[in-house]
Amino acid sequence: MPKQGKSQTSRQPSRRAFLKTSTAAVAATVAGSLAIGRGAHAAGDDTLRVGLVGCGGRGRGAAANAMNADKNAKLVAMADVFEDRVQGSLKSLKPKLGDQFAVTEDRRFVGFDAYQKLIDSGVDVVILATTPHFRPIQLKACIDANKHVFCEKPVAVDGPGIRSVLATAEEARKKNLSIVSGLCWRYHNGVRETMQRVLDGAIGEILGIQETYLTGGLWTRQREPEETEMHYQMRNWYNFTWLSGDHNVEQHIHSLDKASWIMGDEPPVRAWGLGGRQARDRNPVYGNIFDHHAVVYEYANGVKASAYCRQQAGCYNDTSDQFVGTKGRANILKHRIEGENEWRFDGKGGNMYDLEHVALFNAIRNATPINNGRYMAISTMLAILGRMVTYTGQTLTWDQAINSQEDLSPASYTWDADPPTLPDEDGRYQIAMPGVTKFK
Ligand SMILES: NC(=O)c1ccc[n+]([C@@H]2O[C@H](COP(=O)([O-])OP(=O)(O)OC[C@H]3O[C@@H](n4cnc5c(N)ncnc54)[C@H](O)[C@@H]3O)[C@@H](O)[C@H]2O)c1
């Protein structure tokens, strides 16, 4: 494992250079690249060859979900920046997947460029489950190489990343490639049916939306001796905004996605909000993220969505999506409608994590592509806009936010490169200060 002084040279272009080229229109040399129907994949038979990028908790879960979803799929390649993560996932997946586990030694890739090696190793489908920062680069590389993708949420951490994902999603559409998003509630039967009823008018016109994601604290990692700053932050990624987006982006996106869904995936006009950190004190293990955000999103039709998220132990917890309309109210996670059209879902929710992959494999096998690209980008941008207003203390419009020039990437991806957030001489990280931190 690379530590201080043993820098690993990555062949990956810097994200800045990459974003410049990716947002320029990608002229389609699509011809001939896209036979996606039955039997058209790399193995030359009905087997779909799946590669996993990001061998952490969710990556392992998603690989198993994919194998549950399609018994003719095989996991053939794995990639992670860290060797121990590849080995750990291998140990747990091999016995679980039986014959569907086919990751030979030469298809286990490690390092910042591991994802590209995996893409080039002859897979048909790629699962992207790394930390959010890398999603725009990796998604683009998959679509450039004509791969179908299961893409975990959130899909970016900044405006340039979102613009890249939107451009890539459009490219996937032109190429008839599928992108299925890990915004899993969109694949939960009870949530889908409740949302559909609300969209069909069961509570009348929407007047207001309340989203909560109030939980305890999350994990941190202590610094290891001699670890480079980049290495440390990559291990402790959740606590650094440039890697996770902050917790309102990383977690609360599930709630914001439901608000966006009910608003027809049309963005709000503007947002304002407040946030900060208290339970996450100045201990460097907490990096530079906040521990609470409260944001109001204002839509063109007058609807306001109030969104609250908190990660502080010992407080009131609640995760819910509640909509009020002219004819009643809906509680989405309880699959319940009250008012003129009283209703409660009494079916089975199903395993939404499996169902996402069922949808993906059906789309590939039946040549009926699914492209969740736009909504996964819009919902991620809602969250990023929320962070921008809580960090700056300003009201920002959607247009300002999505055109933001703030690029949260390091100059290069190597173990001895400087991350964009560096500790001061006391080892502490600078934390955004509303009213002082500027929008960029
Ligand atoms: N949809 C859901 O319900 C759900 C649930 C959990 C996590 N997630 C998402 O899945 C993603 C991963 O979360 P997790 O809990 O598995 O975290 P994790 O830390 O357990 O796993 C992330 C893995 O990605 C690896 N990684 C980081 N950068 C990489 C790069 N550039 N190339 C290759 N590998 C890289 C890390 O080393 C790590 O092994 C996050 O975006 C998270 O939001 C979604």
Side-chain angles (χ1 to χ4, degrees), residues 226-434:
E226 296 188 27
E227 200 171 24
T228 65
E229 188 60 33
M230 178 66 89
H231 198 276
Y232 172 61
Q233 293 194 17
M234 287 291 292
R235 284 283 196 202
N236 195 21
W237 66 266
Y238 186 80
N239 298 286
F240 291 93
T241 303
W242 75 276
L243 285 165
S244 70
D246 204 321
H247 75 102
N248 76 313
V249 176
E250 226 284 326
Q251 307 253 300
H252 191 35
I253 184 172
H254 281 300
S255 326
L256 298 171
D257 180 55
K258 297 197 208 72
S260 192
W261 187 358
I262 213 64
M263 296 307 292
D265 292 309
E266 288 307 318
V269 177
R270 71 179 69 80
W272 55 273
L274 25 142
R277 61 187 244 171
Q278 296 160 318
R280 289 194 169 114
D281 58 20
R282 293 308 309 275
N283 187 328
V285 291
Y286 298 123
N288 66 336
I289 61 172
F290 277 8
D291 61 14
H292 60 281
H293 303 252
V295 177
V296 176
Y297 296 93
E298 298 182 354
Y299 287 83
N301 64 358
V303 170
K304 290 186 172 60
S306 302
Y308 308 93
C309 64
R310 175 172 63 195
Q311 290 190 333
Q312 295 176 343
C315 301
Y316 166 68
N317 289 341
D318 178 56
T319 299
S320 65
D321 318 275
Q322 308 205 39
F323 307 153
V324 178
T326 49
K327 294 183 182 169
R329 67 185 87 212
N331 185 321
I332 300 304
L333 285 185
K334 289 197 170 149
H335 322 322
R336 190 172 183 163
I337 289 170
E338 293 172 322
E340 282 183 31
N341 298 300
E342 198 90 16
W343 174 82
R344 193 169 197 161
F345 178 74
D346 59 6
K348 288 206 168 114
N351 180 337
M352 59 186 174
Y353 296 108
D354 280 354
L355 289 173
E356 301 168 316
H357 292 273
V358 170
L360 174 61
F361 286 108
N362 283 343
I364 298 169
R365 292 196 181 280
N366 299 327
T368 49
I370 294 177
N371 190 323
N372 297 157
R374 182 176 179 278
Y375 79 63
M376 70 189 192
I378 297 292
S379 295
T380 304
M381 189 63 225
L382 262 188
I384 294 171
L385 166 61
R387 183 194 72 219
M388 287 171 167
V389 300
T390 60
Y391 278 17
T392 61
Q394 308 302 320
T395 297
L396 292 173
T397 66
W398 177 266
D399 288 348
Q400 279 176 297
I402 199 165
N403 291 309
S404 155
Q405 298 304 306
E406 186 177 41
D407 179 347
L408 298 180
S409 39
S412 69
Y413 295 98
T414 55
W415 292 115
D416 55 3
D418 277 348
T421 302
L422 289 170
D424 64 17
E425 57 204 19
D426 298 324
R428 292 168 165 180
Y429 299 96
Q430 193 173 6
I431 299 169
M433 178 63 74

Side-chain angles (χ1 to χ4, degrees), residues 56-58 80-82 85 134-135 152-153 182 237 250 353:
R58 181 77 270 267
D80 200 286
V81 278
F82 295 118
R85 301 313 295 265
F134 298 96
R135 211 87 74 228
E152 259 309 339
K153 44 56 61 171
W237 66 266
E250 226 284 326
Y353 296 108

Side-chain angles (χ1 to χ4, degrees), residues 31 49 57 72 95 158 164 168 189 193 258 318 360 365 367 433 435:
R49 295 158 60 85
N72 261 341
D158 55 20
S164 162
T168 301
N189 293 330
E193 188 167 344
K258 297 197 208 72
D318 178 56
L360 174 61
R365 292 196 181 280
M433 178 63 74

Side-chain angles (χ1 to χ4, degrees), residues 80-275:
D80 200 286
V81 278
F82 295 118
E83 167 85 30
D84 62 340
R85 301 313 295 265
V86 173
Q87 292 305 331
S89 290
L90 205 137
K91 248 189 220 138
S92 93
L93 283 171
K94 198 172 174 178
K96 193 182 277 177
L97 302 185
D99 286 353
Q100 288 180 285
F101 185 91
V103 187
T104 49
E105 247 171 72
D106 57 332
R107 287 199 301 267
R108 299 168 192 171
F109 305 107
V110 175
F112 279 110
D113 58 356
Y115 75 96
Q116 190 63 60
K117 291 179 178 160
L118 177 141
I119 291 169
D120 295 341
S121 73
V123 294
D124 305 302
V125 182
V126 182
I127 296 172
L128 294 181
T130 68
T131 66
H133 174 86
F134 298 96
R135 211 87 74 228
I137 296 180
Q138 296 181 347
L139 181 63
K140 181 176 185 322
C142 289
I143 299 305
D144 282 352
N146 303 323
K147 308 300 173 193
H148 302 280
V149 181
F150 174 76
C151 185
E152 259 309 339
K153 44 56 61 171
V155 298
V157 296
D158 55 20
I162 292 291
R163 298 196 294 277
S164 162
V165 169
L166 285 167
T168 301
E170 190 44 39
E171 192 59 16
R173 193 181 310 282
K174 288 186 201 151
K175 292 183 161 191
N176 288 328
L177 293 167
S178 284
I179 300 177
V180 165
S181 160
L183 286 164
C184 43
W185 292 105
R186 298 221 189 199
Y187 289 89
H188 182 281
N189 293 330
V191 166
R192 275 170 93 110
E193 188 167 344
T194 315
M195 290 294 281
Q196 195 53 55
R197 282 172 183 260
V198 176
L199 285 166
D200 290 344
I203 63 168
E205 262 180 61
I206 302 286
L207 296 175
I209 295 173
Q210 178 185 288
E211 296 291 353
T212 57
Y213 211 105
L214 309 177
T215 67
L218 222 74
W219 57 270
T220 55
R221 288 259 155 68
Q222 295 291 338
R223 185 184 290 276
E224 298 290 332
E226 296 188 27
E227 200 171 24
T228 65
E229 188 60 33
M230 178 66 89
H231 198 276
Y232 172 61
Q233 293 194 17
M234 287 291 292
R235 284 283 196 202
N236 195 21
W237 66 266
Y238 186 80
N239 298 286
F240 291 93
T241 303
W242 75 276
L243 285 165
S244 70
D246 204 321
H247 75 102
N248 76 313
V249 176
E250 226 284 326
Q251 307 253 300
H252 191 35
I253 184 172
H254 281 300
S255 326
L256 298 171
D257 180 55
K258 297 197 208 72
S260 192
W261 187 358
I262 213 64
M263 296 307 292
D265 292 309
E266 288 307 318
V269 177
R270 71 179 69 80
W272 55 273
L274 25 142

